[in-house]
DNA sequence: TTATTTGTAACTTAATAAATTACAATAAAG
DNA sequence: CTTTATTGTAATTTATTAAGTTACAAATAA
């Protein structure tokens, strides 16, 4: 399938809101222009972030605010909101149950895939939105210094 | 996108060959019937496994053999062969370089995503094809005992 | 020879991420 | 109040790509 950028775009939205708060109208249009996507996609993602308790929005007004401090939002929180916790590896569900391999491999792979996913998720949990914002600002400062 | 099952199907192929060697003709047709896919897809995946040095095949003869001992083939080896090392997380490449966020977030996310991927890959590296085969056999034995 | 199978290319189908269009609901400015 | 801007969401279209299908040359083996 076409690979989803919902996770990356959702982090982008949250970082944008934090960085440009008070300096720019935080409309879905302005945010979309920074991401390079459509305002509708931005509003859809913001809707999911709001439902996940990461963002506050006001219907009709361009005043989104983070629902938590950036240090208290992990990338895993954002992943859960944006991709609905989609698994990183895909089990083939069409295997033949009459066959020793086909009849057991789904459960076997499910166990291993889960452990690999937990390892990745643990790493995402250790990085906060604040870390991302800091990294963006440092990279920008280096550009400005040149 | 439609999620790829190439990784799972490739593990299936290798386990099938090891388990049914000598008991069943190892044709792409028989393997495909166990996976629930087409013989062409099986041959395509076997071709990639051969190029990765995991499998030996004979043009015209249904005699594939593992190129290494199952204990010496890790799931990460198979992942590299099957998915060509595709990243687990997707960076949005269309972000606006004029914006502080859009101009720096790709590099920032690239660093974090890479670390999360390394964590998952490390876990896959710790599981061998032999572990998968053992797990399948144990699950089957439990079914037979009922 | 003849039948079987692999290996691969070309094309089609199906699934789905994102874009687009449309519009009701809300907010805010004058 | 009325007008304008905006959010929130549904419905539809477009684009991408994984998998399926068809076709056939090349190799094997009976």
């Amino acid at each position: 399938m076409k690979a989803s950028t919902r996770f990356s775009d959702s982090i982008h939205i949250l970082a944008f809101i934090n960085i440009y708060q008070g300096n720019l109208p935080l409309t879905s249009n302005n945010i979309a222009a920074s991401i390079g996507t459509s305002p509708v996609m931005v509003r859809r993602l913001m809707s999911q972030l709001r439902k996940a308790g990461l963002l506050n929005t006001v219907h009709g007004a361009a005043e989104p605010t983070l629902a938590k401090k950036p240090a208290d939002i992990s990338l895993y929180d954002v992943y859960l909101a944006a991709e609905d916790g989609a698994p990183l590896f895909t089990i083939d569900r069409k295997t033949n149950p009459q066959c020793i391999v086909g009849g057991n491999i789904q459960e076997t792979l499910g166990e291993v895939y889960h452990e690999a996913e937990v390892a990745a998720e643990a790493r995402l949990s250790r990085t906060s939105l604040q870390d991302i914002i800091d990294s963006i600002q440092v990279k920008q400062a280096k550009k400005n210094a040149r």
Side-chain angles (χ1 to χ4, degrees), chain A residues 22-83:
Chain A
N23 305 312
L24 247 176
L26 299 177
T27 62
S28 58
N29 239 299
N30 282 339
I31 301 173
S34 170
I35 299 178
T37 185
S38 69
V40 174
M41 177 59 53
V42 170
R43 296 203 288 273
R44 277 203 281 249
L45 291 174
M46 286 175 73
S47 176
Q48 292 200 240
L49 294 169
R50 173 167 42 74
K51 284 167 187 160
L54 303 179
L55 190 66
N56 299 313
T57 62
V58 183
H59 190 174
E63 301 166 348
T65 56
L66 300 186
K68 302 180 182 186
K69 283 176 292 184
D72 293 337
I73 297 176
S74 81
L75 294 198
Y76 181 53
D77 295 331
V78 182
Y79 185 78
L80 284 180
E83 302 278 6

Side-chain angles (χ1 to χ4, degrees), chain A residues 91-109:
Chain A
I91 293 167
D92 192 333
R93 298 294 177 186
K94 306 184 307 306
T95 64
N96 185 347
Q98 308 301 327
C99 169
I100 294 177
V101 179
N104 296 288
I105 196 169
Q106 292 187 28
E107 194 176 317
T108 293
L109 291 183

Side-chain angles (χ1 to χ4, degrees), chain A residues 4-12 75-76 78-79 82-83 124:
Chain A
S4 165
T5 56
R6 299 167 65 87
F7 180 33
S8 293
D9 292 347
S10 295
I11 298 169
H12 192 133
L75 294 198
Y76 181 53
V78 182
Y79 185 78
E83 302 278 6
L124 292 182

